Amino acid sequence: MDGITRDRNGIRKFQISRSLMQEELAAELLVLPMGVEVCLYGGSLPHIGAVSIVDPDGNMTTTQFPGHRDGVVSAGWAKTIADEGFLPVSAVVGIHYDNLTKEEIEAVVAATDEMLKEALERIKAGV
């Protein structure tokens, strides 16, 4: 578990990371007094592949760039955090590994799911 910073306005910032297939996956979170911002990236070429936003009314929109598959992860993170009552939410995701097998894709998804669970616990706990 990585360190957390908190400013005088109540903004909390923390990072969660995992090593997977000799590359790092990292999630940086900003927990604002009114909303949560997530940036999840990693693999051999961190980038922006998809963005999911849940508005204050709970409506979700996902934009995924051509040739990317990151929308599944960004939508999952945004929806899960929003379903716990933390609104609005934005989740930017960009994870890339070359030539993954089906099993390796499943390992990436499992790692991001594990990271999401930890992130949600930390958001709820206020740390």
Side-chain angles (χ1 to χ4, degrees):
M1 188 168 359
D2 296 335
I4 185 168
T5 60
R6 184 185 311 263
D7 77 4
R8 64 187 176 100
N9 293 317
I11 298 171
R12 294 181 286 135
K13 181 178 181 178
F14 64 91
Q15 182 176 16
I16 297 168
S17 61
R18 298 285 186 278
S19 180
L20 183 65
M21 294 180 276
Q22 301 177 347
E23 300 288 351
E24 181 181 39
L25 296 177
E28 295 180 354
L29 286 93
L30 283 176
V31 182
L32 308 164
M34 293 183 66
V36 176
E37 179 181 307
V38 176
C39 185
L40 175 60
Y41 54 88
S44 60
L45 184 62
H47 63 284
I48 297 173
V51 179
S52 294
I53 298 170
V54 181
D55 70 22
D57 294 325
N59 303 304
M60 185 167 68
T61 303
T62 296
T63 299
Q64 180 170 267
F65 298 120
H68 294 270
R69 298 183 188 144
D70 303 292
V72 172
V73 176
S74 67
W77 275 65
K79 181 176 181 346
T80 300
I81 293 169
D83 284 351
E84 291 293 328
F86 301 99
L87 292 165
V89 180
S90 67
V92 177
V93 177
I95 299 169
H96 177 83
Y97 289 91
D98 290 328
N99 306 312
L100 291 180
T101 65
K102 181 181 178 196
E103 292 78 19
E104 289 170 328
I105 292 170
E106 290 170 357
V108 171
V109 172
T112 61
D113 287 348
E114 178 184 297
M115 293 168 70
L116 173 56
K117 182 179 177 183
E118 180 181 336
L120 199 52
E121 289 171 2
R122 292 181 70 181
I123 292 168
K124 288 178 179 182
V127 295

